[in-house]
Amino acid sequence: MGSGTLVSLLPGDFIGGNVLIVGADGVDKGLLDAVIKKAGKLTIIENERTAAILDEIRKNTNCDVDCIKMEQVIGVDYSLVLCNGMLDMELSSKFLSWLLPDCYVMLVTHCDKVDESAVDNPDKPTTYSLESVFKTTPSKNSYGFVFVASRIIETYEDHRVLYSSMFKKVLLGPEQDRRLDSLHDVLNDKTYTKKISTFFERVFSRGGDPGYISTGGAEVTEECMRRLDLQPGQRVLDVGCGAGGPAILHAKKYKAHVVGVDISSNMIDLATEVTANYPDLNIEFEVCDIERREFPEGYFDAIYSKDVILHIVRKQELFKKFLKWLKPGGKLLITDYCRTTNDFSDMMEAYMKKRANVWFLLTVPVYGQLLKDSGFVNVDAQDKHAVLCESNKQENIHLANKRHDLLKEFDQQFVDDWTDVWKNKVKIIGNKDLTWGVFYAEKCQ
Ligand SMILES: C[S@@+](CC[C@H](N)C(=O)[O-])C[C@H]1O[C@@H](n2cnc3c(N)ncnc32)[C@H](O)[C@@H]1O
């Protein structure tokens, strides 16, 4: 992975601000250059090796550069902390107190990856120990770090990974606490564990092209994607990219440059495995919560998101960000589960109760209107109930036909439980309680 990818993780807000760099000697050169060019003032934490690079840093920036020992840091006004190296609770607490609110710490760190080779071990989802350090670091005045994004830079044979992560200092009000617990953790550790994600992949991909976790697998995805009319070299953001099937399609068929992001590190693991056979495709993956991520304005030619935004409560805030990240004339394609009315039947009520805090559904017209209200033009909102029906029917047939194979990979109880969920969905869809929308929109020229 090149510096460009790391640099694209950098938040815009630190420009002109105070930047603290810990472990400057080990930071990727491209990343270091990008940071020092944009900083207003630099503080470098001194170690035995910083002297060697200090002259170079000073040569590459017009701003003040201080080189001090960790004990001498008194600032509480840093806009960015860039830290290369290991981190513990004590250091993360210091970062929390030194940073301005809503600012970021970017870590470039080696970390052990939890061994996830056993698919049937839901209690041990893939996670990186650093995330846990940050989740348990709220300060007295209720500020804490929330996870924003992480990208693997390199994977080693001994299962260690070098990766870069962004955390944001936020005021942890009750809502933040709830979100932190309920969204990232629930989606990663309950809804999309490695085992469940793998099972979903087997059902939705139906033995065809791998890497699909959504309505109609490769066939329906291809049909939807056509609308974007991607051109070679265009940059497309795949929001909630799942196990990477759609990313391969964007990159292989349309020669697009894909940035696939997903809140579940389990999904990104699967996506990395699935795309390993396509080293020449232009695909980058990142674990991130799209609600917390910022990309530069006008960064993407197209944004694509299939069956993801049902998990997002504040949809309009996200649509406004999409609008900002698109180039003028840029295209947006969303598919999503939708409700048909505001009054749920008893059956749907029970179905939704099991998905409380994880599914937030709108009707198709309300969805379309929200896109218009967010500033999109040429909005086309279509109710594709028949596609959902057919997809669900095929998945049920596949589950029955491939039960024997699935039982080789997953335990019987698990397969039975999920087969019941799929059967139950037939009723909800048949009763028109649940439908599926396809939304196309553009940013005006
Ligand atoms: C039903 S899967 C769809 C995967 C993929 N789009 C596909 O078509 O195969 C929904 C995906 O959305 C991801 N997701 C949900 N909320 C997210 C968020 N806030 N940020 C990023 N990804 C999110 C989930 O982790 C999951 O992988």
Side-chain angles (χ1 to χ4, degrees):
M1 179 176 293
S3 308
T5 304
L6 276 179
V7 172
S8 74
L9 268 178
L10 283 174
D13 328 36
F14 81 93
I15 296 171
N18 277 355
V19 174
L20 178 72
I21 304 184
V22 183
D25 51 301
V27 176
D28 172 270
K29 185 156 176 349
L31 179 65
L32 191 65
D33 282 350
V35 171
I36 61 182
K37 282 204 177 92
K38 290 174 182 165
K41 182 173 183 243
L42 276 172
T43 306
I44 313 279
I45 297 295
E46 188 182 87
N47 66 27
E48 318 79 70
R49 298 174 305 274
T50 34
I53 59 162
L54 212 56
D55 280 349
E56 204 181 332
I57 290 179
R58 288 203 163 104
K59 236 190 284 157
N60 283 328
T61 179
N62 295 325
C63 71
D64 284 350
V65 183
D66 272 356
C67 191
I68 59 175
K69 295 198 184 329
M70 187 74 91
E71 310 82 79
Q72 296 170 309
V73 179
I74 45 163
V76 287
D77 61 349
Y78 289 102
S79 305
L80 176 73
V81 174
L82 177 60
C83 174
N84 181 68
M86 290 312 287
L87 188 86
D88 55 18
M89 289 288 252
E90 198 189 326
L91 195 52
S92 58
S93 288
K94 282 183 179 159
F95 289 168
L96 193 62
S97 60
W98 294 339
L99 269 171
L100 290 167
D102 296 320
C103 286
Y104 298 81
V105 54
M106 182 173 187
L107 301 164
V108 182
T109 325
H110 283 99
C111 222
D112 285 333
K113 198 171 171 195
V114 173
D115 181 12
E116 254 274 84
S117 47
V119 163
D120 56 356
N121 188 356
D123 300 329
K124 279 202 167 175
T126 303
T127 181
Y128 306 104
S129 49
L130 273 175
E131 284 186 36
S132 4
V133 170
F134 274 94
K135 275 179 198 159
T136 51
T137 317
S139 68
K140 285 189 201 87
N141 56 4
S142 293
Y143 277 100
F145 281 115
V146 288
F147 170 75
V148 177
S150 88
R151 284 180 182 227
I152 291 180
I153 302 165
E154 220 166 322
T155 307
Y156 304 96
E157 280 178 6
D158 61 1
H159 289 291
R160 276 180 326 130
V161 285
L162 175 66
Y163 77 106
S164 171
S165 296
M166 296 289 306
F167 293 85
K168 186 176 186 178
K169 172 176 171 173
V170 296
L171 194 56
L172 292 173
E175 201 199 337
Q176 297 282 15
D177 287 339
R178 194 169 50 77
R179 257 189 60 78
L180 193 61
D181 292 342
S182 71
L183 192 69
H184 180 254
D185 292 1
V186 170
L187 285 178
N188 192 53
D189 302 348
K190 294 203 175 82
T191 312
Y192 297 112
T193 64
K194 184 84 182 265
K195 183 179 179 182
I196 294 175
S197 305
T198 308
F199 185 80
F200 281 8
E201 196 275 335
R202 303 292 185 261
V203 181
F204 282 114
S205 294
R206 285 192 262 128
D209 287 342
Y212 293 88
I213 313 267
S214 66
T215 313
E219 214 177 294
V220 172
T221 298
E222 192 160 1
E223 178 63 35
C224 296
M225 209 178 269
R226 199 172 299 153
R227 191 88 191 258
L228 286 175
D229 191 26
L230 288 171
Q231 302 300 312
Q234 284 193 328
R235 191 186 279 139
V236 57
L237 174 66
D238 185 348
V239 177
C241 62
I248 294 174
L249 202 57
H250 289 301
K252 198 170 160 200
K253 185 164 176 190
Y254 297 99
K255 311 270 175 290
H257 169 184
V258 190
V259 179
V261 301
D262 201 289
I263 201 168
S264 161
S265 50
N266 302 314
M267 285 292 186
I268 294 297
D269 278 353
L270 277 177
T272 309
E273 278 166 31
V274 168
T275 50
N277 294 331
Y278 302 92
D280 298 335
L281 296 184
N282 200 354
I283 303 176
E284 308 166 21
F285 288 119
E286 174 181 312
V287 179
C288 86
D289 179 350
I290 196 65
E291 289 188 87
R292 296 201 185 285
R293 185 70 162 100
E294 281 302 336
F295 287 100
E297 201 169 330
Y299 196 62
F300 294 104
D301 296 283
I303 297 180
Y304 167 90
S305 181
K306 187 148 180 277
D307 299 5
V308 176
I309 295 168
L310 72 152
H311 295 305
I312 308 254
V313 188
R314 289 178 288 265
K315 297 187 194 334
Q316 191 168 14
E317 280 177 30
L318 185 63
F319 294 161
K320 285 184 179 164
K321 292 214 290 187
F322 286 174
L323 192 73
K324 194 172 104 191
W325 300 340
L326 278 171
K327 292 180 183 166
K331 295 169 183 167
L332 173 70
L333 196 284
I334 296 172
T335 75
D336 215 354
Y337 288 93
C338 289
R339 55 167 77 204
T340 46
T341 67
N342 285 332
D343 299 318
F344 286 146
S345 68
D346 291 349
M347 191 165 53
M348 185 65 174
E349 195 76 58
Y351 188 82
M352 290 301 286
K353 210 169 167 185
K354 288 192 185 141
R355 290 157 181 79
N357 291 329
V358 189
W359 278 38
F360 309 96
L361 306 184
L362 302 178
T363 63
V364 172
V366 168
Y367 214 117
Q369 189 58 46
L370 212 55
L371 285 166
K372 285 184 197 154
D373 294 346
S374 309
F376 281 97
V377 297
N378 297 333
V379 175
D380 178 28
Q382 291 190 24
D383 188 327
K384 295 277 188 182
H385 181 262
V387 176
L388 182 63
C389 254
E390 181 57 22
S391 159
N392 187 249
K393 185 173 144 197
Q394 295 303 330
E395 286 144 23
N396 272 295
I397 294 173
H398 183 76
L399 270 168
N401 289 347
K402 296 288 169 186
R403 182 176 166 80
H404 186 68
D405 291 345
L406 290 168
L407 285 173
K408 287 185 201 152
E409 208 177 350
F410 306 92
D411 57 276
Q412 185 170 344
Q413 188 63 53
F414 183 83
V415 174
D416 287 348
D417 289 350
W418 278 106
T419 305
D420 284 350
V421 172
W422 247 276
K423 278 188 193 147
N424 199 12
K425 214 165 147 190
V426 176
K427 295 183 210 151
I428 304 281
I429 298 170
N431 204 33
K432 290 215 171 168
D433 278 320
L434 187 66
T435 190
W436 189 70
V438 178
F439 307 93
Y440 172 82
E442 291 171 5
K443 176 170 176 170
C444 60
Q445 288 285 353

